[in-house]
Amino acid sequence: MARFLIIGGFLAVVFWVYSIVDCAVQPATRHRGVSKSVWVLIVVLLPVIGGILWFTLGRLSRGEVDTGYVVPPDDDPQVLRRMGNAEQDARIRELEEELARLDDESDGADPRS
C-alpha cells in the first residue's frame, strides 16, 4: 500500500510540474477564460485539480482560436446544419416579420418623410 501512495504522489508531482510548465510556456493567445498569470496561479495553488482544470477548461486546442466573438445562431453553420428546412423557413419568416415591424415603426416615427 505504501508503494502505491509513493508512486501516486510521484505521479501527482510530475503531473503538477508538467501542468505548470505547459501553462507557463503557452502564448497568451492560447489561454481561455482568464489571463495567463491567473491560470499559472490556479495550477500552482491547486496542484492536481488546477492541472486538470487547465487541460480541460483553460487550454485552447491547436487549431482553435479564441477571438472573444460569439457567432450568432443564424450565422453559425453548425447550428444551421442541425436545423431542418422547416425550422429554417420558420426562423426566416419570424425575422422577416420582425424586420417589417421595425421598418413600420421607424417609418411612423421619422419626421423627415
Side-chain angles (χ1 to χ4, degrees):
M1 186 65 171
R3 286 184 192 162
F4 292 119
L5 289 176
I6 292 171
I7 292 172
F10 177 74
L11 290 176
V13 169
V14 167
F15 176 72
W16 182 50
V17 170
Y18 180 76
S19 300
I20 292 170
V21 170
D22 186 64
C23 184
V25 299
Q26 293 294 327
T29 57
R30 300 265 319 264
H31 291 77
R32 185 182 308 144
V34 293
S35 67
K36 180 177 181 173
S37 57
V38 174
W39 270 117
V40 171
L41 281 175
I42 290 171
V43 173
V44 169
L45 296 177
L46 302 170
V48 175
I49 295 171
I52 292 170
L53 289 173
W54 162 245
F55 285 109
T56 57
L57 301 175
R59 186 176 190 214
L60 293 173
S61 0
R62 216 170 265 287
E64 189 177 1
V65 176
D66 185 22
T67 61
Y69 175 72
V70 178
V71 178
D74 293 341
D75 294 338
D76 190 357
Q78 293 176 351
V79 172
L80 293 175
R81 268 188 237 112
R82 285 192 304 256
M83 290 175 64
N85 287 337
E87 291 178 57
Q88 288 180 11
D89 292 340
R91 180 71 178 143
I92 289 171
R93 270 193 307 276
E94 289 174 17
L95 292 173
E96 287 174 347
E97 290 170 2
E98 185 178 345
L99 284 174
R101 191 172 53 251
L102 290 173
D103 192 35
D104 290 341
E105 289 175 6
S106 66
D107 286 343
D110 191 8
R112 293 179 280 164
S113 49

